[in-house]
Amino acid sequence: MRADVGDGLLELFVRLAGIASPTGEEREIADVVKQHVAGLGLDVHEDGSAAVTGCGCGNLIVRVPGRGEAAPIGLCAHLDTVPVCGAPRVVVEGGVVRSEGETILGADDKAAVAVLLVLARDLAADPPAGGVEIVLTAGEEVGLLGAKALDIAALDARRVFVLDSDGAPGTLITSAPTQKRVDAEFRGVAAHAGISPELGRSAIVAAARAVAAMRLGRIDDETTANVGVVSGGAAANVVAEYCALSAEARSRDLSKVTAQAEHMVETISTEAAACGIDVEIDVREAFRGYRHEAGSPLLTLGLEAASIAGLEARLVEGGGGSDANVFNARGLPALTLGVGFEDAHSPREHISLDRLSELSAMAMGVVRAAGAAA
């Protein structure tokens, strides 16, 4: 049965999804959001983080005053998407919202943005027990840039719910991994591939051998590894002097991700040496993992919110990163919630009207649960 997504939610989501906003090009959607919030009679603040992150806009903070009967709470989503060629053409049919199939839809995370803007409208008309701060970040898709540049001290909220995961609304992400990035640059010796290939030392061959020798994919039930980008060479008839690769390891166990990253570094070094190639390797932690134990205040509040919304609560260990990783690492307790989009980051991405309606109920459930817990 088709869900009721009236009161402007569907129209707002379709409008936002139709705006191209890949990381670094968030300016247009930020301006649309700011104009929308101003029309609600609410204040919206854009911080100066764009100067640090290089994103198209700063983080937006929308404050909805409460009645002063409960502690303020934060709700977060992100404005940017993965790369997109042109603005998505949004189609609504059969109870599902999708793109025409040439691009992503951008429900990750614009479904959450639309829901939070409608929530702000409703709370402005009927103030909650405690104030609500809606944080809309930029640059989430390429390293959680906006969240990392956000001034946490500028927020009154001491707990945040991040609407940014697959899984039906009611899904609570109890843990998330640490990610380590491994970037390597191989430098060999160029030579004519048809005349004197023996005089060259191929950086591409060294990189290929390293990739082939690595443990990649699903390492165990909480650890993965991937080589996502390999680039180099100048022409088919030139022994490649240069090649670079970008890889990652992630795990919900810090010791495991450390061991996996060390394995990848050792493999790269070994294969480069075997080919007589110089290599420079950079390893850095992209984000730190977290875990919310059963019975924690944040999980308890999330479970109560799902109950208020009439949704089945599902506790899930996550494999992806979100702004919640940054908040938790900086001492601001944060819990990631399922949004309900499917096939994110692909032209098959879609979200049903039922899920959109359920997400709206879950967001209001969070606010009501926080007010009741005062």
Side-chain angles (χ1 to χ4, degrees):
M1 182 174 66
R2 176 171 294 191
D4 178 11
V5 286
D7 296 328
L9 174 56
L10 177 58
E11 290 79 3
L12 179 58
F13 170 52
V14 169
R15 181 185 182 194
L16 297 178
I19 299 172
S21 60
T23 306
E25 299 178 29
E26 302 96 336
R27 183 71 267 162
E28 182 180 356
I29 192 169
D31 289 341
V32 168
V33 168
K34 290 170 73 172
Q35 182 180 30
H36 181 87
V37 172
L40 302 176
L42 296 172
D43 291 330
V44 56
H45 168 70
E46 180 175 348
D47 70 16
S49 62
V52 176
T53 64
C55 295
C57 68
N59 301 306
L60 305 183
I61 302 172
V62 181
R63 290 185 168 88
V64 184
R67 301 193 302 270
E69 300 168 3
I73 193 166
L75 292 144
C76 176
H78 64 86
L79 296 168
D80 64 317
T81 71
V82 293
V84 57
C85 297
R89 292 196 289 255
V90 183
V91 176
V92 183
E93 59 183 15
V96 174
V97 187
R98 58 177 178 82
S99 78
E100 284 193 343
E102 298 298 320
T103 70
I104 61 167
L105 172 63
D108 173 13
D109 200 22
K110 293 176 185 175
V113 174
V115 161
L116 293 182
L117 292 179
V118 170
L119 177 71
R121 180 201 66 194
D122 294 344
L123 295 179
D126 184 11
V132 173
E133 293 177 317
I134 294 173
V135 180
L136 304 176
T137 61
E140 190 273 348
E141 293 287 3
V142 293
L144 315 177
L145 298 179
K148 289 177 179 177
L150 180 69
D151 180 8
I152 296 294
L155 300 179
D156 294 324
R158 293 298 91 198
R159 50 192 172 180
V160 178
F161 289 84
V162 177
L163 284 64
D164 185 21
S165 177
D166 59 356
T171 300
L172 312 179
I173 306 301
T174 61
S175 61
T178 295
Q179 183 199 61
K180 289 184 179 289
R181 283 285 307 272
V182 179
D183 295 294
E185 293 188 346
F186 300 80
R187 297 188 182 277
V189 176
H192 194 295
I195 298 175
S196 53
E198 62 278 356
L199 298 181
R201 294 196 295 275
S202 174
I204 288 179
V205 169
R209 288 178 50 148
V211 173
M214 285 183 199
R215 296 191 301 269
L216 296 172
R218 174 68 63 184
I219 309 302
D220 58 39
D221 62 351
E222 56 187 355
T223 310
T224 62
N226 182 60
V227 176
V229 179
V230 178
S231 60
N237 63 346
V238 179
V239 175
E241 182 178 20
Y242 175 83
C243 187
L245 67 79
S246 294
E248 66 153 45
R250 63 177 72 194
S251 179
R252 294 188 293 272
D253 184 313
L254 182 58
S255 64
K256 289 180 178 180
V257 72
T258 300
Q260 175 64 27
E262 289 174 349
H263 156 72
M264 297 168 83
V265 169
E266 181 180 355
T267 301
I268 291 168
S269 299
T270 297
E271 297 303 331
C275 294
I277 298 294
D278 293 329
V279 65
E280 294 183 3
I281 307 172
D282 176 61
V283 181
R284 64 187 184 280
E285 184 175 289
F287 50 78
R288 177 60 60 95
Y290 65 86
R291 182 177 300 276
H292 296 300
E293 300 295 342
S296 71
L298 209 53
L299 268 183
T300 299
L301 192 57
L303 291 169
E304 180 60 23
S307 177
I308 290 172
L311 300 172
E312 177 186 359
R314 296 174 60 248
L315 304 182
V316 175
E317 292 190 309
S322 74
D323 289 338
N325 286 73
V326 176
F327 297 148
N328 281 306
R330 296 173 67 185
L332 178 60
L335 180 66
T336 302
L337 305 179
V339 172
F341 48 70
E342 298 183 58
D343 294 324
H345 298 186
S346 82
R348 302 181 305 280
E349 183 185 11
H350 63 281
I351 187 169
S352 72
L353 301 186
D354 286 330
R355 293 292 184 252
L356 198 58
S357 180
E358 291 167 358
L359 182 62
S360 183
M362 183 65 184
M364 183 60 80
V366 167
V367 175
R368 290 176 176 168

